[in-house]
Amino acid sequence: DDAFVWMTFHHNSRLSLCRPPLPDSVVTNVMAQMHPALSYEEAEAHRAVDASQLLRTTVGLTLKGRRTTDVFGPAPMDGDDLDRILTAAYGVTAPRGTAPSHRTVPSAGALYPAELYLLVRNVHGVAKGIWHYNPLESRMELIDSRAESVAGFSAGFAQAELVEQSAIIVLITMAFERQTFKYGPRGYRFALIEAGHIAQNLVLVATELELAV
């Protein structure tokens, strides 16, 4: 069965089945023995554009400013900023009638298998709870507002303390069958690539809005 291959990998790579990450001291020692990037010294070379030229553009400045943080402030997130982030992440850019509407990320076959869910903890004007983002209707849909659901959400993460500090957590989930029906097991890879596009849109727009991410 084609589905068995990717479903088995997906199951076996769950957080609950993986070993704990290595301590930072071990990671530092191992990384010191690795090359930070490959270099083909004997190959013909062509120098890429100078980084300073790229970074004078709006997009370049946003790329330069992107940093990952593990410290989040207590102030609530603005509801309009949340709307902007979701639209940039996976919003519709060109409706196409009965055909799948184009969105802000490329998708193999324009099949768009992703479904975005949010844990909202501290957003001005938005109730706490678990929400679903509906890009076709440009709206969020409240799935679960029970206090125990919000409080217990962090237990499913490797760094639960970060979840508890965050104003929102965006979950990029996949309806894999939306791509595997056409591409077979390779559709699983295409879906993971799409998740990366979505995540990059999220962090870049958050950076542009000067939000910690």
Side-chain angles (χ1 to χ4, degrees):
D1 188 326
D2 281 350
F4 177 77
V5 178
W6 64 264
M7 290 179 69
T8 299
F9 170 79
H10 193 77
H11 172 80
N12 289 336
S13 56
R14 288 184 307 168
L15 178 63
S16 60
L17 297 180
C18 293
R19 64 166 174 77
L22 295 172
D24 288 345
S25 58
V26 176
V27 172
T28 301
N29 289 334
V30 172
M31 291 300 295
Q33 302 172 44
M34 294 183 176
H35 294 291
L38 293 178
S39 180
Y40 295 90
E41 300 293 346
E42 304 302 320
E44 180 180 342
H46 171 77
R47 186 167 297 280
V49 64
D50 186 89
S52 63
Q53 296 180 36
L54 166 68
L55 299 178
R56 282 201 296 265
T57 67
T58 301
V59 173
L61 290 171
T62 302
L63 289 168
K64 183 181 179 181
R66 190 216 63 77
R67 294 291 184 274
T68 300
T69 184
D70 57 4
V71 178
F72 303 98
M77 182 178 180
D78 186 85
D80 289 341
D81 284 347
L82 176 56
D83 293 341
R84 294 185 183 100
I85 287 174
L86 291 174
T87 301
Y90 211 47
V92 171
T93 57
R96 296 198 300 160
T98 57
S101 299
H102 287 305
R103 304 194 195 175
T104 56
V105 301
S107 180
L111 298 174
Y112 301 105
E115 295 289 342
L116 304 190
Y117 291 85
L118 301 93
L119 170 66
V120 173
R121 296 177 58 87
N122 191 15
V123 178
H124 184 70
V126 182
K128 291 183 179 181
I130 299 172
W131 295 76
H132 170 255
Y133 172 56
N134 184 333
L136 301 182
E137 301 294 337
S138 296
R139 71 187 186 198
M140 290 169 52
E141 300 159 340
L142 184 59
I143 303 298
D144 191 342
S145 61
R146 293 174 297 170
E148 59 268 28
S149 297
V150 175
F153 199 83
S154 59
F157 289 79
Q159 295 176 291
E161 67 279 4
L162 296 185
V163 177
E164 292 164 2
Q165 296 174 26
S166 302
I168 65 166
I169 296 291
V170 180
L171 302 177
I172 304 173
T173 72
M174 290 290 167
F176 288 109
E177 292 81 0
R178 241 180 251 165
Q179 283 197 316
T180 57
F181 87 91
K182 177 176 180 178
Y183 296 108
R186 194 162 184 78
Y188 182 80
R189 291 191 181 198
F190 294 151
L192 297 187
I193 292 170
E194 189 164 327
H197 292 310
I198 295 169
Q200 184 72 338
N201 280 2
L202 282 168
V203 297
L204 288 180
V205 173
T207 299
E208 177 71 16
L209 294 171
E210 299 183 348
L211 299 173
V213 62

